[in-house]
Amino acid sequence: MQSSPNHKNRWGVILSGGDGIRLRALTRLLTGDDRPKQFCRLVGEETLLAQTRHRVARIIRPDRTLFVMTKAHEPFYAAELADVPPGRMVVQPANRGTLPAILLSLIRLVRLDRHAVVAFFPVDHYYAEEGKFVAEVGSAFASAETTSRVILLGASPTTPEIEYGWIEPETTADPRLMRVRRFWEKPPYEVAQTLLDQGCLWNTFVMVGRANAFLELIQSAEPGLYETFHTAIVQCKGEMNPDLTRAVYEQIETADFSKRGLSGATERLAVLSLGEIGWDDLGEPRRVGAILSQGQSRKPVGCVAVSEVASAATARLAF
């Protein structure tokens, strides 16, 4: 673990509240039920949640890690997270997308540490060069502690991927930590090819910054949503209880943090280039199949052989 007393304000948030709809056919094949992908062993002997947890523990102390979950998934995560104190669990009454999930976790976090610097980690990522990723997150923390900007981690692209978000950086004196000019969300192939040729980056959705910087960004980009949560906090004179959280979630809509938060706040952002680290977002069957077929994971996944999983992932694309 790369932590020390000087890093006492560094926190991590593992985003694990998604429903995994696009992988449902594959995960049902693996498990026999409708559990989301983060609770499945897709590319190794551990679930994606366990893999992410171990990866984050190399960077941040476990007692400074929060887990964002969804109440309906409790049968799938209860045993796996039995050792996590309740105060480190941020349980949403429903999945309303990444923006409410991040806002709710920030509300919890600033109650624990008003000087927190936080990194957000999606639970469905794969890194061929995990050690390099861990080191770069440490660099992002060091930068975030000296700036009011939120730092995004961008991966060097290898293909004109149309299912990823892209970050177009501005040229600066530091070629690794740059300002953000524009976001491109799932661009058409021709645009993606141009972005690739221009040296743009894939948006990994790993983000590091001061907790208050994230809150100010959300307040600026989505004042209505921010006010809804803030009013609820004032009503309960502190952290929202489960009943109040449920009432808030019943009145808000699903919102994506990239689209509703980041895309309109480029002046508040910077991007750190991870370089080529073999990053993949395991959100689609073809990506899981590609990793497995490359021999990245040769052991059985659940009760299904890797070759069968790869074939199932590939076959799923035909529908």
Side-chain angles (χ1 to χ4, degrees):
M1 183 196 315
Q2 299 181 352
S3 181
S4 75
N6 294 328
H7 300 160
K8 62 185 179 66
N9 298 119
R10 294 186 179 184
W11 291 78
V13 174
I14 296 177
L15 299 171
S16 189
D19 296 317
I21 299 298
R22 291 179 296 172
L23 280 185
R24 182 61 55 81
L26 178 57
T27 54
R28 186 181 291 129
L29 172 66
L30 293 174
T31 65
D33 56 36
D34 285 340
R35 70 185 63 200
K37 60 188 173 184
Q38 59 265 36
F39 311 115
C40 299
R41 292 175 286 163
L42 291 181
V43 292
E45 295 182 326
E46 295 182 313
T47 67
L48 295 183
L49 174 58
Q51 291 176 10
T52 305
R53 188 178 183 184
H54 292 155
R55 184 182 304 130
V56 172
R58 298 176 61 183
I59 311 166
I60 299 162
R61 284 174 39 175
D63 64 344
R64 294 196 178 102
T65 300
L66 305 184
F67 295 81
V68 180
M69 316 302 290
T70 298
K71 181 65 176 177
H73 302 159
E74 186 172 7
F76 306 125
Y77 67 72
E80 187 167 348
L81 299 182
D83 61 326
V84 177
R88 298 299 183 264
M89 298 287 291
V90 181
V91 181
Q92 304 175 100
N95 176 20
R96 291 289 188 267
T98 51
L99 179 51
I102 288 172
L103 181 52
L104 185 62
S105 68
L106 289 166
I107 290 170
R108 171 72 58 81
L109 182 55
V110 295
R111 294 292 179 281
L112 298 170
D113 181 359
R114 62 191 181 94
H115 300 297
V117 182
V118 57
F120 288 92
F121 300 94
V123 78
D124 57 352
H125 286 187
Y126 171 84
Y127 299 90
E129 297 186 37
E130 188 167 293
K132 184 177 180 181
F133 169 75
V134 167
E136 296 296 356
V137 174
S139 297
F141 264 115
S143 296
E145 288 162 350
T146 62
T147 181
S148 61
R149 292 179 181 268
V150 169
I151 298 174
L152 312 178
L153 274 61
S156 295
T158 55
T159 62
E161 176 61 60
I162 64 173
E163 291 298 325
Y164 286 162
W166 291 71
I167 301 171
E168 181 181 347
E170 290 186 358
T171 302
T172 60
D174 186 345
R176 293 184 64 255
L177 186 62
M178 301 163 284
R179 293 186 178 183
V180 175
R181 175 176 292 140
R182 181 175 176 179
F183 283 93
W184 298 83
E185 189 66 24
K186 298 183 178 180
Y189 180 85
E190 294 77 10
V191 174
Q193 183 63 61
T194 299
L195 296 173
L196 175 65
D197 295 340
Q198 291 178 346
C200 297
L201 301 168
W202 283 337
N203 182 16
T204 69
F205 205 67
V206 177
M207 305 170 287
V208 185
R210 297 178 181 274
N212 286 326
F214 278 102
L215 286 171
E216 290 168 4
L217 186 156
I218 295 172
Q219 184 178 17
S220 175
E222 286 291 326
L225 180 68
Y226 181 90
E227 185 60 31
T228 296
F229 276 80
H230 179 72
T231 301
I233 296 169
V234 172
Q235 287 178 357
C236 67
K237 299 180 180 180
E239 189 173 330
M240 292 188 292
N241 59 47
D243 290 338
L244 193 53
T245 304
R246 188 179 305 108
V248 168
Y249 268 65
E250 287 175 351
Q251 60 179 300
I252 63 174
E253 62 181 7
T254 299
D256 180 84
F257 188 69
S258 285
K259 295 178 181 178
R260 303 274 289 271
L262 299 179
S263 62
T266 54
E267 73 283 356
R268 297 175 180 268
L269 308 175
V271 57
L272 185 149
S273 175
L274 296 170
E276 295 185 8
I277 58 170
W279 170 76
D280 271 294
D281 174 346
L282 302 177
E284 292 187 346
R286 66 181 175 88
R287 293 184 192 135
V288 178
I291 290 175
L292 297 177
S293 63
Q294 291 167 8
Q296 305 280 11
S297 176
R298 299 181 180 278
K299 296 183 179 181
V301 183
C303 61
V304 183
V306 167
S307 59
E308 293 179 71
V309 177
S311 297
T314 302
R316 178 68 179 84
L317 295 176
F319 290 92

